[in-house]
Amino acid sequence: MNSYILLRRSLAFKPNRNLSQHLIGDIKNSFQQMLKSKEQKQYLEISTRAKQIKIPFEDILFIKASHVYIEILCTDGRKELLRKSLRSLKAKLTSNDFMQCHRSYIVNINQIDSWDSKQLYMQDHEIPVSRSKKKELFQRLKK
């Protein structure tokens, strides 16, 4: 912000080459910081009875709710079972890569292999798609 104010003042009187070089450097640094933050892995932190677990978002295949339990299935075949609500877990998924496709399922959109009008196919799993979520889900998949 200060650079912008200085730039406006300097342009009003005369161009300042040092200031524009500083601005270019600041812009480069900002872009580099944005790229670094995108490259950093995001994790889902969960706690089971015995341990604390950090699961990278990219490793999550889908999340399935069954009554008061949640099952997290990972790309490597690992499963984690929790006693939580799907809503509370959904709030922890800060990435746009996740979407609730059914009242009992949240899927990682990047892990979907194929789909038809009623189901998503991920590795060896078939996941139902509710009628209410179908339109939004398929729009996101076609992007």
Side-chain angles (χ1 to χ4, degrees):
M1 186 68 171
N2 291 338
S3 299
Y4 176 70
I5 292 170
L6 289 173
L7 178 64
R8 285 186 58 204
R9 288 182 185 162
S10 68
L11 290 178
F13 300 109
K14 62 180 181 174
N16 186 340
R17 291 182 188 195
N18 288 337
L19 181 61
S20 32
Q21 289 174 350
H22 286 293
L23 280 174
I24 290 170
D26 289 344
I27 291 169
K28 283 181 181 178
N29 289 339
S30 297
F31 279 122
Q32 288 173 351
Q33 288 175 355
M34 284 181 4
L35 290 174
K36 284 180 185 176
S37 67
K38 293 216 179 235
E39 291 172 359
Q40 291 177 350
K41 283 189 175 182
Q42 292 181 311
Y43 293 92
L44 175 63
E45 294 183 20
I46 56 173
S47 57
T48 62
R49 285 185 177 183
K51 57 189 172 185
Q52 293 280 96
I53 302 169
K54 284 175 69 173
I55 304 173
F57 282 171
E58 63 204 32
D59 291 350
I60 298 173
L61 194 59
F62 64 89
I63 300 166
K64 178 184 176 182
S66 179
H67 192 54
V68 295
Y69 290 99
I70 292 178
E71 189 175 19
I72 301 172
L73 282 86
C74 298
T75 54
D76 59 1
R78 182 178 59 171
K79 296 179 183 180
E80 298 293 339
L81 188 64
L82 305 169
R83 186 179 165 102
K84 280 190 178 257
S85 70
L86 194 61
R87 181 179 290 172
S88 68
L89 198 62
K90 185 178 177 182
K92 290 184 177 184
L93 297 170
T94 56
S95 174
N96 289 331
D97 296 337
F98 294 94
M99 184 172 175
Q100 189 167 358
C101 65
H102 187 273
R103 70 186 295 189
S104 301
Y105 288 89
I106 295 175
V107 296
N108 184 342
I109 292 178
N110 297 327
Q111 300 293 340
I112 297 172
D113 297 327
S114 60
W115 65 87
D116 60 27
S117 63
K118 295 184 181 184
Q119 291 184 325
L120 303 173
Y121 302 96
M122 305 170 83
Q123 293 182 358
D124 296 335
H125 305 280
E126 295 179 3
I127 297 158
V129 177
S130 70
R131 289 178 290 182
S132 62
K133 308 278 185 182
K134 186 186 299 189
K135 184 177 179 181
E136 181 184 357
L137 177 68
F138 291 149
Q139 284 176 348
R140 286 188 60 188
L141 288 172
K142 288 179 183 178
K143 285 183 182 179

